[in-house]
Structures are given as C-alpha cells and as structure tokens.
Amino acid sequence: MPKLMVDSLAQHIYLSFDDGPLPGTSNCIDICIKEDIAATFFEVGLHQSRSHYGQKLYNRILDNKNLFALCNHSYSHALGKYLDFYHQPDSALFDFIKAKRILKPDNNIARLPGNNAWNTQDAKRASGLVRPLVHKLDSAGFNIIGWDLQWQFNRYGKPVQSPEVIALLVDSLLANQQTKTKNHLVILMHDHMFRTPEDSLKLEKMIALLKMRPHYRFDKLTSYPGLKRGGY
Ligand SMILES: [Zn+2]
C-alpha cells in the first residue's frame, strides 16, 4: 500500500503517565525506550524538586526528547484536596506557574490534578468546579488536555484492568468514534502503577498488543491536533 494511503488511515495513540517523578517512573521510561514509542509525562513540580531521586528521573525524561514530552501537572497536585484547590482559582493558577518555573517544559500543555478537563483550540470540557481555573489557565496561554481512557489502579496502586482489556477498549473507543478528537486517543496511566516488575510486564504487554494493530501510531501530546500556539 502506498505510504500516503497508510498514513491517511492512521490512528494516533498518546500514552500519558501522571504524577511522577515517583517510584515506577523509571520503568515507564525504560519500557518506552525499549519499545521505541513516544509518551507524555505529566509531572508534579513538588515530586521533581523534593529529592535528588526526583530530579534524576526528570532528567531522564528530558534526555529523551525525541520520544518524550514533559508537561505541567501542577506544583502541589492540590495536595489531594481538590475542592479547596479549585475553589481558589488564583492560587491554583499560581500553583501551575510555580510548576512551570521548576519543570521548565518546552510546551504549554497542562493537565488538571484529579479532573478530566480539556481546553485547546478545538476541545473544550470543564465542569463548574474547575471552570474558573480553566479560564485563567487559558488566558495564561495553557492548553489543557485530559484523557479518553484511564487504566485504573486499585487501593494498592496496582493496575485494575488486564492489558488485553485496555487494548480492546482502545479499539472500541476509536472504532466507535468515542474519543475527544476522532482518530486520536489519550490513555491516562500513573507511573506508580508500574513500580514492580510484575506490573511493568503488563505495561509492556499492553504496548505490544497495540503495536500489533497496523494503523496505530504512538505520538507525544505536543503533536495533538488543535493546540493553541504561543503565549508561552
Ligand atoms: Zn494526577
């Protein structure tokens, strides 16, 4: 088949790993490098800055810019108190600006802590709770990207669904056009889910299953369609 025809059928998968640097981050990095696939890391400023260990992991992501995008997931991650965080949009905005100073990402993509909000040129979604902050982040030049599918974790922080189930969900969401943008699918995972060798194998397996689908391409979120440019 000519290359152009193949590309026109392409469907884009964006693996995103949240809340690092944390135990598990280095396994996510290793697996993506080994499989030679792109991924996006939404980093928490506090986790990066509080230890030498966090900075080392952060540097490993930056050292692989061909494969990885590093994006802003706030400084404090709301310290888990989401209602307080979103009820004070000015200090929440400052939390993202503080993270930007620490993480120094080369893009203007952010993800809200604990909330699947979207705000790009084309994709909009914000609950009443987060809307004031989304407007402020928008004015400050940020794109906000949520997710289409979450690989959930249980109370021990381990993956809930099997790799096979996740791969089938990817197929079905794309086939039924149930993603935010047609033919583009964002998967949310958390670094800490893959901190044991046993759970890392599940990530490898899921990637291997997706790689078997000929039309799937792995991309960084910096190439997601409809992002606002500039303002950064
Ligand atoms: Zn998070």
Side-chain angles (χ1 to χ4, degrees):
M1 205 185 292
K3 186 170 184 305
L4 241 177
M5 203 182 282
V6 173
D7 280 349
S8 69
L9 297 170
Q11 294 179 306
H12 302 267
I13 311 280
Y14 305 84
L15 301 183
S16 64
F17 297 99
D18 279 22
D19 296 2
L22 284 176
T25 303
S26 71
N27 289 339
C28 299
I29 293 172
D30 290 343
I31 290 167
C32 291
I33 290 176
K34 187 177 138 206
E35 297 293 330
D36 194 28
I37 54 161
T40 301
F41 289 85
F42 282 91
E43 299 280 286
V44 173
L46 177 64
H47 297 172
Q48 185 266 14
S49 59
R50 68 183 169 188
S51 69
H52 181 62
Y53 169 76
Q55 282 151 32
K56 241 176 96 175
L57 291 170
Y58 162 84
N59 284 327
R60 282 198 68 206
I61 296 168
L62 290 188
D63 285 346
N64 290 281
K65 279 201 167 144
N66 55 327
L67 284 183
F68 302 144
L70 189 143
C71 300
N72 189 334
H73 193 37
S74 81
Y75 174 76
S76 68
H77 206 274
L79 299 170
K81 296 178 179 167
Y82 299 120
L83 281 181
D84 290 351
F85 185 78
Y86 293 117
H87 282 152
Q88 299 171 61
D90 285 315
S91 63
L93 171 65
F94 180 73
D95 202 71
F96 275 94
I97 290 170
K98 190 174 173 184
K100 178 176 151 181
R101 275 191 219 128
I102 289 169
L103 298 170
K104 301 183 181 65
D106 62 2
N107 60 74
N108 55 7
I109 298 170
R111 177 174 282 163
L112 300 193
N115 193 286
N116 189 6
W118 289 76
N119 194 67
T120 67
Q121 232 165 50
D122 303 334
K124 310 281 180 196
R125 168 171 157 172
S127 64
L129 174 67
V130 302
R131 203 168 296 137
L133 174 61
V134 166
H135 286 154
K136 285 178 190 292
L137 288 167
D138 183 44
S139 304
F142 288 94
N143 287 288
I144 301 170
I145 296 193
W147 57 90
D148 297 299
L149 168 65
Q150 178 176 2
W151 195 346
Q152 289 159 333
F153 56 87
N154 65 20
R155 63 195 168 114
Y156 306 108
K158 295 167 98 49
V160 172
Q161 299 97 333
S162 67
E164 289 79 7
V165 164
I166 294 295
L168 288 174
L169 284 169
V170 169
D171 295 341
S172 128
L173 289 169
L174 282 167
N176 296 309
Q177 300 185 11
Q178 289 171 318
T179 56
K180 196 76 184 157
T181 304
K182 187 182 164 189
N183 292 331
H184 294 263
L185 182 138
V186 183
I187 306 178
L188 163 64
M189 295 167 283
H190 287 82
D191 302 28
H192 65 72
M193 292 163 61
F194 306 111
R195 62 194 184 282
T196 69
E198 169 199 27
D199 291 326
S200 295
L201 279 177
K202 294 182 185 169
L203 176 60
E204 278 195 71
K205 175 79 183 172
M206 191 275 282
I207 290 169
L209 290 168
L210 294 183
K211 272 180 138 178
M212 286 163 63
R213 277 68 161 172
H215 304 313
Y216 290 176
R217 309 273 180 275
F218 292 90
D219 289 311
K220 301 184 266 190
L221 277 170
T222 41
S223 60
Y224 194 85
L227 296 181
K228 296 179 296 185
R229 300 288 163 195
Y232 208 68

